[in-house]
Amino acid sequence: MKKIICIALAAVMALSLAACGGNNGLNGKVATDGSTSMEKVIGALKETFEGENAGVEVTYNPTGSGTGIKAVQEGRCDIGLSSRALKDAEMEQGLVGTVLAYDGIAVIVNPENTVEDLTVEQIGAIYKGEITNWSEVGGIDAEIVLIGREAGSGTRGGFEEIVGVEDLCQYRQELTSTGDVITAVSQNPGAIGYASLASVKDTVKAIKVGGVAPSEETVKDETYAIQRPFVLVTKEGVELSETAKAFFDFITSEAAREVITAAGVVPAN
């Protein structure tokens, strides 16, 4: 009798563990690749999903939007990450973009900079080299040092398209990650750059654009002018694995809204 009771108790405990912290039958890896600006939100979603599915590992390779899109095209990852909308040519190649969230692109300066507000037109003139000194926009007499991202970056593509400076920017430095841009601006009193709002740190100052400060609220109500989508990229006709599909379905569901919001971006759903 004691043996039967022990077996029954063990079965109940196993069922309880499965209900509370099991892997829901999922196991294996989900590979994501692309935008460095999406690191914070993908990291938060990855942590939540892995916590609910003990047998799953979600990997994130921060290579930039262009490389992530190419990785999906070539079958080197499950889900690509792009901080810009897909181009017509990319969609014609069978790629599919699903908007995960919306993010503001903050225009950042060194904390010592006294300039607090610029119009989109002034920002465009600065990046085209038409305005070269901070005194021309209400700041001190000092050269403006232009910092930006490398060609192929989703952040660069989104910023240049919105501001109207595609292929016209006179960059002093073109850097390969959001973190590098933030570091460069924080170390140079004359610098100006741009970065995902979710990634901005107190080592730099995000200025107002047209009188509107970048924030989750102003991105959501569309009063902040410089914003772009965070896009999940898959390939039409290529079926995701069960685990990758479960991750995709979770991060685009109502259940992920709080996680996405806590990461500093606005959920698309």
Side-chain angles (χ1 to χ4, degrees):
M1 176 64 73
K2 287 183 178 179
K3 185 176 181 180
I4 293 172
I5 292 172
C6 288
I7 292 172
L9 286 172
V12 170
M13 289 178 67
L15 288 171
S16 298
L17 287 170
C20 294
N23 65 7
N24 298 321
L26 297 174
N27 57 69
K29 290 186 177 182
V30 181
T32 70
D33 190 311
S35 171
T36 62
S37 298
M38 293 175 68
E39 179 176 8
K40 187 173 181 179
V41 65
I42 290 299
L45 291 166
K46 156 187 159 67
E47 183 177 346
T48 302
F49 189 72
E50 288 176 340
E52 296 175 355
N53 299 277
V56 173
E57 179 186 0
V58 180
T59 63
Y60 164 65
N61 192 18
T63 58
S65 297
T67 305
I69 291 168
K70 188 175 181 180
V72 175
Q73 182 67 46
E74 296 177 349
R76 292 185 282 109
C77 73
D78 297 302
I79 301 169
L81 308 172
S82 175
S83 51
R84 63 164 173 81
L86 290 179
K87 299 175 181 177
D88 289 342
E90 292 164 342
M91 291 188 286
E92 288 169 3
Q93 293 172 356
L95 296 180
V96 179
T98 303
V99 178
L100 173 70
Y102 294 93
D103 176 54
I105 301 177
V107 177
I108 57 174
V109 297
N110 188 279
E112 295 179 17
N113 197 318
T114 57
V115 173
E116 301 287 340
D117 190 356
L118 292 171
T119 65
V120 171
E121 292 73 23
Q122 286 175 318
I123 294 167
I126 286 171
Y127 270 89
K128 287 186 288 186
E130 296 169 357
I131 295 175
T132 60
N133 194 293
W134 284 111
S135 63
E136 298 176 66
V137 288
I140 64 170
D141 181 12
E143 179 190 11
I144 299 175
V145 179
L146 301 179
I147 309 294
R149 290 291 305 278
E150 82 288 2
S153 158
T155 307
R156 172 171 169 167
F159 172 81
E160 291 187 355
E161 181 179 356
I162 294 165
V163 178
V165 293
E166 291 176 285
D167 303 319
L168 299 172
C169 293
Q170 305 298 308
Y171 292 112
R172 176 76 62 84
Q173 288 181 277
E174 298 179 46
L175 303 172
T176 58
S177 75
T178 296
D180 288 343
V181 171
I182 292 170
T183 298
V185 173
S186 72
Q187 294 175 348
N188 189 328
I192 185 171
Y194 48 80
S196 166
L197 175 59
S199 302
V200 172
K201 302 175 182 178
D202 57 9
T203 55
V204 293
K205 181 174 71 175
I207 63 173
K208 295 177 182 178
V209 176
V212 179
S215 69
E216 181 184 333
E217 291 72 24
T218 58
V219 171
K220 191 171 185 176
D221 66 20
E222 299 183 358
T223 55
Y224 182 70
I226 308 177
Q227 56 175 283
R228 44 69 189 275
F230 278 172
V231 179
L232 306 173
V233 184
T234 52
K235 192 171 182 180
E236 189 175 6
V238 176
E239 188 174 347
L240 293 174
S241 69
E242 180 185 7
T243 303
K245 186 177 186 307
F247 179 65
F248 185 95
D249 289 346
F250 165 68
I251 64 179
T252 55
S253 72
E254 183 74 23
R257 282 184 60 86
E258 288 188 13
V259 180
I260 294 171
T261 299
V265 290
V266 178
N269 296 327

